[in-house]
Amino acid sequence: MVTVALTARCDPTRGGRWTSLSGGGREWLWHRTEPARAAAHPGAPFADAGGLEECLPTVRGTPDHGAVWSRPWQPDPVTPWPGSPDVVTLVVETPDFVLRRRIGHHAGAVVADYRLSAAAGYRFVWAAHALLDLSPGARVEAPEGTRLRLYADPEPPVEGAWPAPAGTPLDRLGPDDGTAVGAVLRDCPRATVVDGADRLTFALECDSQPRSTALWRNLRGWPADGPYRSIGVEPMLGGAFDVAEDVPAAVVPAGGEVRWRLTVTAERTR
C-alpha cells in the first residue's frame, strides 16, 4: 500500500460544507444538484447536495441535520491555532453554542480540529456527514461485533452487531436494491471505506466523549418520490442520530469546551 495525499476544500458561506476531498486523481465526495441548498436558512429542512456537512447538535431531530449546516461561517483570525500556512479556520455561532473548526494538511492527511463552546451540561451529537462517491463493489471495514443501532424507517430502531444486524449486510454498499437504512456503530472511532484499489479512513479523537461511526446506506430506497443512491460514512460524537434518543450523547464539561480531531487518510494498492 502507498499513501495518497488528500486535499480538502470547503464553502464557508454555506455551512462550512466540505465541497471536495480529493487525492491521487480521485474525488471522494459525492454531489447532487439541489437548488434549495443555496437558499438554506436556519430551521429549513435539510437540502441534500452531497459533500460533507457538519451536523450539530443533532442529525435527525430538531433542527433537521443540526443548526450549523444552514448558517454562514466566518473567518476566525482571533483564536490561536498553531499550524501550517494552509490552515483554514472558521467559526459559526448559534444561540446555544459557538463552533470553531480548523482544517489543515499534514503528511498527506486532512486534519480537522474542532472546538465547541457552550454551557456546562449541554448535550449534543456531532457528525461529519460525509456522502461518498463509491462503486457498487465498495465495502466498509469496522471491527466485527461492534454494537450498533439500526434504523430502517418506518420501523423503530433496533440494536444489533456489525456487520449484519437483522440479516442486513451493512458492510456491502451495492448494487442498488431499493433499500435505505442507517446505523450508528457505537464505540467505533475508526472506519475504512474500500473501493477497488483505494482505501479511505476516518479516525476520530476526543477525550471523555462517546465516539461512533454512522452509516447511511441508501441504495435508491429514499426518498419515496424520487429515490437516488447516496452512501454516508460519518464520524460522530454521541451514540445515536438524534440527541434525544436513549443512548449516550456528548456533554459539555464544567469548563464549557469540548475539543476533538478528525483525521482523514487515503491509501492505494500498488
Side-chain angles (χ1 to χ4, degrees), residues 148-163:
L148 60 81
R149 177 162 286 192
L150 178 68
Y151 300 77
D153 294 336
E155 301 299 323
V158 296
E159 302 296 311
W162 181 266

Side-chain angles (χ1 to χ4, degrees), residues 114-153:
Y114 297 82
R115 294 182 184 179
L116 175 71
S117 301
Y122 182 72
R123 299 176 73 255
F124 68 95
V125 167
W126 163 83
H129 188 278
L131 295 176
L132 303 178
D133 188 3
L134 302 171
S135 75
R139 68 181 192 277
V140 177
E141 293 182 347
E144 185 172 356
T146 297
R147 300 303 301 174
L148 60 81
R149 177 162 286 192
L150 178 68
Y151 300 77
D153 294 336

Side-chain angles (χ1 to χ4, degrees), residues 164-226:
T168 302
L170 297 181
D171 58 331
R172 303 296 171 173
L173 301 178
D176 296 345
D177 60 9
T179 64
V181 298
V184 176
L185 286 69
R186 295 199 289 270
D187 299 319
C188 182
R190 182 183 180 92
T192 297
V193 177
V194 181
D195 193 10
D198 291 318
R199 298 171 62 88
L200 184 73
T201 298
F202 296 97
L204 180 60
E205 303 170 67
C206 186
D207 293 334
S208 304
Q209 301 291 345
R211 296 173 298 166
S212 304
T213 297
L215 174 67
W216 171 237
R217 184 176 174 272
N218 175 25
L219 305 181
R220 295 190 182 274
W222 183 91
D225 59 351

